[in-house]
PDB file of all heavy atoms in Angstrom:
ATOM      1  N   PHE A  90     -13.867  51.876 107.368  1.00 97.00           N
ATOM      2  CA  PHE A  90     -13.979  51.639 105.939  1.00 97.00           C
ATOM      3  C   PHE A  90     -14.516  52.872 105.232  1.00 97.00           C
ATOM      4  O   PHE A  90     -15.553  53.426 105.621  1.00 97.00           O
ATOM      5  CB  PHE A  90     -14.925  50.463 105.654  1.00 97.00           C
ATOM      6  CG  PHE A  90     -14.411  49.141 106.110  1.00 97.00           C
ATOM      7  CD1 PHE A  90     -14.713  48.663 107.382  1.00 97.00           C
ATOM      8  CD2 PHE A  90     -13.625  48.366 105.285  1.00 97.00           C
ATOM      9  CE1 PHE A  90     -14.249  47.439 107.820  1.00 97.00           C
ATOM     10  CE2 PHE A  90     -13.147  47.130 105.711  1.00 97.00           C
ATOM     11  CZ  PHE A  90     -13.454  46.670 106.972  1.00 97.00           C
ATOM     12  N   CYS A  91     -13.838  53.262 104.177  1.00 97.00           N
ATOM     13  CA  CYS A  91     -14.313  54.295 103.275  1.00 97.00           C
ATOM     14  C   CYS A  91     -15.037  53.607 102.111  1.00 97.00           C
ATOM     15  O   CYS A  91     -14.655  52.500 101.707  1.00 97.00           O
ATOM     16  CB  CYS A  91     -13.119  55.106 102.763  1.00 97.00           C
ATOM     17  SG  CYS A  91     -13.504  56.482 101.688  1.00 97.00           S
ATOM     18  N   ALA A  92     -16.070  54.243 101.600  1.00 95.00           N
ATOM     19  CA  ALA A  92     -16.824  53.629 100.508  1.00 95.00           C
ATOM     20  C   ALA A  92     -17.320  54.695  99.550  1.00 95.00           C
ATOM     21  O   ALA A  92     -17.605  55.827  99.952  1.00 95.00           O
ATOM     22  CB  ALA A  92     -18.006  52.826 101.047  1.00 95.00           C
ATOM     23  N   VAL A  93     -17.447  54.304  98.293  1.00 93.00           N
ATOM     24  CA  VAL A  93     -18.059  55.162  97.282  1.00 93.00           C
ATOM     25  C   VAL A  93     -19.325  54.479  96.791  1.00 93.00           C
ATOM     26  O   VAL A  93     -19.337  53.258  96.593  1.00 93.00           O
ATOM     27  CB  VAL A  93     -17.068  55.450  96.132  1.00 93.00           C
ATOM     28  CG1 VAL A  93     -16.660  54.176  95.411  1.00 93.00           C
ATOM     29  CG2 VAL A  93     -17.663  56.431  95.137  1.00 93.00           C
ATOM     30  N   GLY A  94     -20.384  55.250  96.601  1.00 89.00           N
ATOM     31  CA  GLY A  94     -21.655  54.691  96.196  1.00 89.00           C
ATOM     32  C   GLY A  94     -22.001  55.073  94.772  1.00 89.00           C
ATOM     33  O   GLY A  94     -21.768  56.203  94.357  1.00 89.00           O
ATOM     34  N   GLU A  95     -22.544  54.133  94.042  1.00 83.00           N
ATOM     35  CA  GLU A  95     -23.005  54.422  92.698  1.00 83.00           C
ATOM     36  C   GLU A  95     -24.442  53.961  92.549  1.00 83.00           C
ATOM     37  O   GLU A  95     -25.043  53.449  93.486  1.00 83.00           O
ATOM     38  CB  GLU A  95     -22.115  53.732  91.667  1.00 83.00           C
ATOM     39  CG  GLU A  95     -22.179  52.217  91.695  1.00 83.00           C
ATOM     40  CD  GLU A  95     -21.536  51.596  90.474  1.00 83.00           C
ATOM     41  OE1 GLU A  95     -21.536  52.208  89.396  1.00 83.00           O
ATOM     42  OE2 GLU A  95     -21.039  50.462  90.605  1.00 83.00           O
ATOM     43  N   GLY A  96     -24.986  54.176  91.373  1.00 75.00           N
ATOM     44  CA  GLY A  96     -26.386  53.868  91.141  1.00 75.00           C
ATOM     45  C   GLY A  96     -27.235  55.094  91.417  1.00 75.00           C
ATOM     46  O   GLY A  96     -26.778  56.078  91.985  1.00 75.00           O
ATOM     47  N   ALA A  97     -28.492  55.009  91.023  1.00 70.00           N
ATOM     48  CA  ALA A  97     -29.391  56.155  91.143  1.00 70.00           C
ATOM     49  C   ALA A  97     -29.499  56.649  92.577  1.00 70.00           C
ATOM     50  O   ALA A  97     -29.572  57.852  92.829  1.00 70.00           O
ATOM     51  CB  ALA A  97     -30.778  55.786  90.602  1.00 70.00           C
ATOM     52  N   ALA A  98     -29.503  55.755  93.502  1.00 74.00           N
ATOM     53  CA  ALA A  98     -29.609  56.133  94.906  1.00 74.00           C
ATOM     54  C   ALA A  98     -28.257  56.177  95.597  1.00 74.00           C
ATOM     55  O   ALA A  98     -28.188  56.502  96.776  1.00 74.00           O
ATOM     56  CB  ALA A  98     -30.527  55.151  95.647  1.00 74.00           C
ATOM     57  N   GLY A  99     -27.222  55.864  94.887  1.00 77.00           N
ATOM     58  CA  GLY A  99     -25.891  55.867  95.482  1.00 77.00           C
ATOM     59  C   GLY A  99     -25.696  54.826  96.545  1.00 77.00           C
ATOM     60  O   GLY A  99     -24.834  54.968  97.411  1.00 77.00           O
ATOM     61  N   ASN A 100     -26.494  53.759  96.501  1.00 82.00           N
ATOM     62  CA  ASN A 100     -26.403  52.778  97.573  1.00 82.00           C
ATOM     63  C   ASN A 100     -25.703  51.488  97.168  1.00 82.00           C
ATOM     64  O   ASN A 100     -25.640  50.555  97.962  1.00 82.00           O
ATOM     65  CB  ASN A 100     -27.798  52.470  98.144  1.00 82.00           C
ATOM     66  CG  ASN A 100     -28.766  51.964  97.101  1.00 82.00           C
ATOM     67  OD1 ASN A 100     -28.403  51.753  95.949  1.00 82.00           O
ATOM     68  ND2 ASN A 100     -29.999  51.769  97.498  1.00 82.00           N
ATOM     69  N   LYS A 101     -25.190  51.431  95.961  1.00 86.00           N
ATOM     70  CA  LYS A 101     -24.361  50.292  95.592  1.00 86.00           C
ATOM     71  C   LYS A 101     -22.921  50.661  95.941  1.00 86.00           C
ATOM     72  O   LYS A 101     -22.251  51.390  95.235  1.00 86.00           O
ATOM     73  CB  LYS A 101     -24.481  49.990  94.097  1.00 86.00           C
ATOM     74  CG  LYS A 101     -23.701  48.768  93.667  1.00 86.00           C
ATOM     75  CD  LYS A 101     -23.802  48.550  92.167  1.00 86.00           C
ATOM     76  CE  LYS A 101     -22.891  47.415  91.742  1.00 86.00           C
ATOM     77  NZ  LYS A 101     -22.866  47.243  90.271  1.00 86.00           N
TER      78      LYS A 101
END
Side-chain angles (χ1 to χ4, degrees):
Chain A
F90 293 91
C91 183
V93 62
E95 66 167 330
N100 58 4
K101 183 183 174 185

